[in-house]
Amino acid sequence: MINAVIGIGNLLRADDGVGIHVVQRLEDEITGCEAVDMATAGIDLLGHIRGREKVVIVDAIITGSEPGTIHRVSTHEMRSPIFAKTHGLNLHGTLMLGQLLYPDEMPKKLVILGVEIQDITSFSDKLTSNVQRAIPRLIEAIKKEFI
Amino acid sequence: MKTITIDPITRLEGHGKIVIFLNDGGEVENAYLQVPELRGFERFCEGRRAEDMPILTARICGVCPVAHHMASTKALDAAYGVEPTPTAKKLRELMYSGYTVYDHILHFYFLAAPDFVVGPDAPPAERNIFGVLKKVGLDVGREVIKHRAYGQKITEILGGKATHPTFGLPGGVSKGLNEEERLEIEEMGRSSVEFAQFTLDLFNKVVLGNQDYVDLILSDPYQLRTYNMGLVDDDNRVDLYDGDIRVTDQGGKEFTKFQAGDYLDHISEHVEPWTYSKFTYLKKIGWKGLSDGPDSGVYRVGPLGRLNAAEGMTTPLADQEYQRMYETLGGKPINSTLAFHWARLVELLFAAERVVELATDPGITDGDLRNPVGEPGEGVGVIEAARGTLFHHYKVDEEGLLEKVNLIVATTNNYAPICMSIRDAAKGLIKGDEVSEGLLNMVEMGFRAYDPCFACATHSLPGQAPLKVEVYDHERRLKRRIERNLG
């Protein structure tokens, strides 16, 4: 499929799993677009975005705003350090590596939707209520990206 | 007492930071890596259905999902008193070998090569994968990504999903292999063997061809004379998927050999108040603090621990490399922490060769995928995760629900030696209030050799990860701070 929505996060760490929760919902709700559960894998993301036209990545984010707020981040706005993980690269570094190695295969449109989260320290497969309430808005935001 | 804190991972990842304690003379007394607590996860699992564990535990993190999946599956085999079928065993090992290939490739090119290919003294901004690619070329970079993806593809073919497989079941596996898939895996395996050989050549040229690096590997701060542990087959050769756990002593002789189910007779855990993680040690020797030598129960796991605890490899090319490594570095056991990198590449070649061997096994496409399970009970599963021995221990009640869960992960097994390597690397680089600029490099190299995994780490953006050294005076006033991004 030429378009994809990719969820990133740890499903067992409460709100960190918001990207996975939404992608699992979308598997039944979205057409014309593949829903991919990437879990917390890093550079392997490249295998899922190369050769695509439009990609939306859904991840948890902490900026200090209200939990459940949806931030739309385009790649040229990313300013985070590249090496934020103990194993491999973070999202920014992974996309930079993709641009370096496969400049012709990177998606024409790549958008990151970051959901402001509250709890990432509990072992839980459930979202906190503010983040849970953001899911319908998040699904609408994702669908809008593919119109 | 003065305290130096190094925070190598994002605050989002919990309690993973390095604390260095100085004595009153301003010299390094001890160092500790504070790792996240896993106990919460064990409690989270209790009361759930045991059969869900292979999928659930694989979700702990994206670094070693297949290792947890397989250790969990083996614990269920034991808990339900069932032996997997011969074909299921082979298929499990095939998937597992693919995982080892992709995990070891990532570690070498992304985490080890920056120190060696770019250089330990290079500016931090260049000591990363981009600096490596500048030296070795973008084509090599594409080969890295390609072979990493091959390892994942093998998991996907067998397990449905690359990152979180649904494959292992008590007594067997959920899916067999058809001829088309077998052929695809065989080809990926052959290509991986070639790439592993290329990587070993690169290591030979860049590391072993440079006397400074060889001296660094053999230098005092990176030597630890601990016991070594790893799974072995009937001939005491390295086995990543199955076998008995063998422990060798500082002279390379067998100290003990035991089955997974008996691990509590051989391994104990020591608790310190300042860290969530426990220190494991050999029960028969005892805990003597963070010290090495025959009187201390500290042991090492992971690539070097495994190779030291064994007497060779079962595949021909890897066995040649195994022999060459010991000849080059002065015989067995090798005590140099930095030799973990070489050992990891020997295992990369071994795992790639095993992929080919298993994919060409005449019985690999057979249909005997699962044996019927017995009554639920208690079971221990052990596996060699890329970064070391991993134990899963479950007690299952008659309704198939988990009563008790105990995990000992590789980084816990290596916890004491990691702390000791950090301490030794930091010694000589800290004198009173003076902290050498080389401290971060030396400390990073010390702990990175073990490939520690903060298993339950989260992943949220923006994920900033400064490597931080903070120097406090005896009244806990901050005297100095050095900070950089973790390369």
Side-chain angles (χ1 to χ4, degrees):
Chain A
M1 200 115 32
I2 206 70
N3 297 331
V5 53
I6 298 172
I8 301 179
N10 188 335
L11 194 63
L12 302 184
R13 280 294 194 158
D15 291 342
D16 196 62
V18 63
I20 309 301
H21 283 278
V22 80
V23 157
Q24 289 179 347
R25 280 268 300 268
L26 280 171
E27 278 171 3
D28 306 323
E29 279 195 33
I30 200 161
T31 51
C33 162
E34 190 178 347
V36 183
D37 167 3
M38 269 297 291
T40 54
I43 60 157
D44 308 309
L45 178 71
L46 289 181
H48 291 279
I49 63 174
R50 282 167 57 195
R52 308 260 195 196
E53 198 142 313
K54 289 184 194 170
V55 169
V56 174
I57 293 171
V58 187
D59 201 348
I61 194 167
I62 297 179
T63 69
S65 55
E66 279 297 304
T69 307
I70 298 167
H71 304 270
R72 186 178 189 276
V73 189
S74 62
T75 45
H76 66 271
E77 287 172 319
M78 295 182 79
R79 290 286 180 274
S80 65
I82 304 164
F83 308 101
K85 293 182 75 187
T86 47
H87 285 87
L89 298 173
N90 67 4
L91 183 54
H92 187 203
T94 299
L95 296 175
M96 276 177 64
L97 185 66
Q99 199 58 46
L100 180 70
L101 295 178
Y102 312 103
D104 302 332
E105 297 175 42
M106 294 297 276
K108 288 192 189 67
K109 176 176 172 177
L110 199 154
V111 169
I112 295 148
L113 295 177
V115 185
E116 189 78 27
I117 57 171
Q118 193 171 345
D119 179 8
I120 54 161
T121 52
S122 304
F123 276 110
S124 168
D125 50 7
K126 293 185 176 55
L127 300 170
T128 59
S129 57
N130 286 337
V131 176
Q132 180 67 43
R133 275 199 294 273
I135 295 274
R137 275 186 289 125
L138 188 56
I139 288 174
E140 285 314 303
I142 292 164
K143 285 180 176 169
K144 229 169 99 183
E145 298 292 344
F146 292 106
I147 291 170
Chain B
M1 187 186 281
K2 295 169 181 171
T3 307
I4 294 175
T5 303
I6 299 176
D7 191 349
I9 55 171
T10 158
R11 65 190 172 86
L12 305 178
E13 286 183 305
H15 310 280
K17 64 179 177 184
I18 293 165
V19 181
I20 300 172
F21 292 106
L22 308 184
N23 61 23
D24 291 342
E27 288 166 340
V28 175
E29 194 169 70
N30 257 322
Y32 305 100
L33 176 73
Q34 297 185 320
V35 297
E37 185 186 33
L38 259 180
R39 305 289 140 185
F41 180 71
E42 291 161 348
R43 283 197 298 272
F44 171 80
C45 296
E46 284 160 19
R48 290 172 184 268
R49 291 189 310 171
E51 65 197 71
D52 291 344
M53 285 300 273
I55 293 168
L56 201 60
T57 56
R59 283 271 181 191
I60 295 177
C61 82
V63 177
C64 33
V66 181
H68 280 293
H69 180 74
M70 222 54 100
S72 181
T73 301
K74 290 180 72 180
L76 290 182
D77 288 342
Y80 283 94
V82 58
E83 257 308 286
T85 65
T87 305
K89 270 189 187 177
K90 289 174 196 166
L91 288 170
R92 286 182 188 181
E93 193 189 344
L94 178 58
M95 175 189 275
Y96 204 70
S97 303
Y99 146 77
T100 306
V101 167
Y102 79 64
D103 202 301
H104 280 357
I105 284 178
L106 180 88
H107 187 276
F108 181 73
Y109 284 97
F110 283 71
L111 300 168
D115 286 334
F116 290 108
V117 176
V118 185
D121 302 322
E126 290 172 25
R127 281 174 49 240
N128 54 49
I129 182 66
F130 295 96
V132 172
L133 296 183
K134 212 185 256 181
K135 293 258 182 186
V136 301
L138 296 185
D139 284 342
V140 175
R142 285 185 273 267
E143 288 295 298
V144 171
I145 300 293
K146 183 171 98 179
H147 287 92
R148 165 93 187 165
Y150 280 175
Q152 293 240 314
K153 182 73 184 168
I154 292 169
T155 307
E156 196 180 322
I157 288 172
L158 290 164
K161 276 185 165 186
T163 36
H164 298 110
T166 51
F167 183 59
L169 304 166
V173 295
S174 61
K175 180 185 174 300
L177 204 61
N178 65 37
E179 176 57 21
E180 193 184 334
E181 292 166 334
R182 187 204 66 74
L183 199 62
E184 190 181 357
I185 292 176
E186 183 190 339
E187 282 170 12
M188 291 190 287
R190 292 194 190 283
S191 182
S192 299
V193 170
E194 282 179 25
F195 188 61
Q197 289 177 298
F198 167 84
T199 307
L200 274 156
D201 279 347
L202 183 69
F203 187 83
N204 279 338
K205 282 185 204 134
V206 173
V207 181
L208 302 176
N210 182 331
Q211 192 56 43
D212 288 347
Y213 287 165
V214 176
D215 291 346
L216 185 68
I217 290 171
L218 296 174
S219 65
D220 281 347
Y222 292 118
Q223 308 301 310
L224 278 185
R225 293 176 51 76
T226 67
Y227 289 87
N228 289 284
M229 179 185 287
L231 278 178
V232 293
D233 68 9
D234 291 344
D235 300 319
N236 289 331
R237 291 176 301 180
V238 170
D239 195 323
L240 299 173
Y241 169 74
D242 217 352
D244 288 340
I245 298 152
R246 188 175 194 235
V247 180
T248 55
D249 65 17
Q250 288 73 9
K253 292 196 174 61
E254 182 173 304
F255 171 71
T256 187
K257 196 152 108 175
F258 59 92
Q259 294 183 330
D262 298 329
Y263 81 109
L264 289 174
D265 295 336
H266 297 272
I267 296 171
S268 281
E269 294 179 311
H270 171 79
V271 182
E272 290 277 345
W274 38 262
T275 176
Y276 289 108
S277 181
K278 293 177 178 178
F279 293 92
T280 54
Y281 62 93
L282 297 172
K283 205 171 184 174
K284 285 175 186 157
I285 303 288
W287 175 255
K288 307 283 163 54
L290 293 175
S291 60
D292 58 355
D295 298 331
S296 166
V298 171
Y299 57 89
R300 295 207 271 193
V301 299
L304 187 63
R306 286 192 281 261
L307 267 53
N308 277 338
E311 288 171 5
M313 316 298 286
T314 58
T315 59
L317 296 173
D319 194 54
Q320 277 174 28
E321 285 295 327
Y322 179 95
Q323 306 301 342
R324 193 170 67 84
M325 183 179 89
Y326 284 103
E327 281 163 20
T328 308
L329 294 181
K332 273 179 80 175
I334 293 170
N335 295 311
S336 172
T337 304
L338 297 183
F340 265 88
H341 297 301
W342 194 351
R344 194 170 285 115
L345 296 184
V346 174
E347 288 191 341
L348 168 63
L349 182 56
F350 167 68
E353 286 186 284
R354 281 303 285 157
V355 169
V356 176
E357 283 183 354
L358 288 159
T360 52
D361 185 295
I364 198 73
T365 50
D366 287 355
D368 56 323
L369 299 181
R370 197 173 179 196
N371 278 329
V373 299
E375 292 302 309
E378 188 170 350
V380 179
V382 65
I383 196 106
E384 286 296 337
R387 44 203 56 75
T389 316
L390 168 65
F391 296 89
H392 279 220
H393 181 182
Y394 308 151
K395 271 185 199 168
V396 187
D397 70 15
E398 64 263 22
E399 290 175 13
L401 303 177
L402 288 157
E403 272 179 1
K404 187 87 189 138
V405 174
N406 186 43
L407 307 184
I408 300 179
V409 302
T411 300
T412 305
N413 280 311
N414 266 336
Y415 191 32
I418 288 173
C419 292
M420 290 155 70
S421 290
I422 291 169
R423 175 196 66 198
D424 295 348
K427 268 183 185 172
L429 294 163
I430 298 174
K431 291 275 186 293
D433 288 345
E434 293 298 313
V435 178
S436 158
E437 291 291 338
L439 174 69
L440 293 180
N441 289 357
M442 296 291 278
V443 166
E444 269 186 78
M445 286 177 74
F447 78 79
R448 198 146 54 199
Y450 294 91
D451 191 12
C453 175
F454 305 98
C456 44
T458 54
H459 181 72
S460 313
L461 292 168
Q464 289 171 352
L467 180 62
K468 222 180 336 185
V469 179
E470 292 179 345
V471 184
Y472 294 90
D473 67 11
H474 61 286
E475 290 172 329
R476 300 288 169 106
R477 286 179 307 205
L478 184 65
K479 300 288 283 184
R480 185 159 179 216
R481 174 186 281 152
I482 311 168
E483 200 169 326
R484 75 158 72 127
N485 293 325
L486 186 64

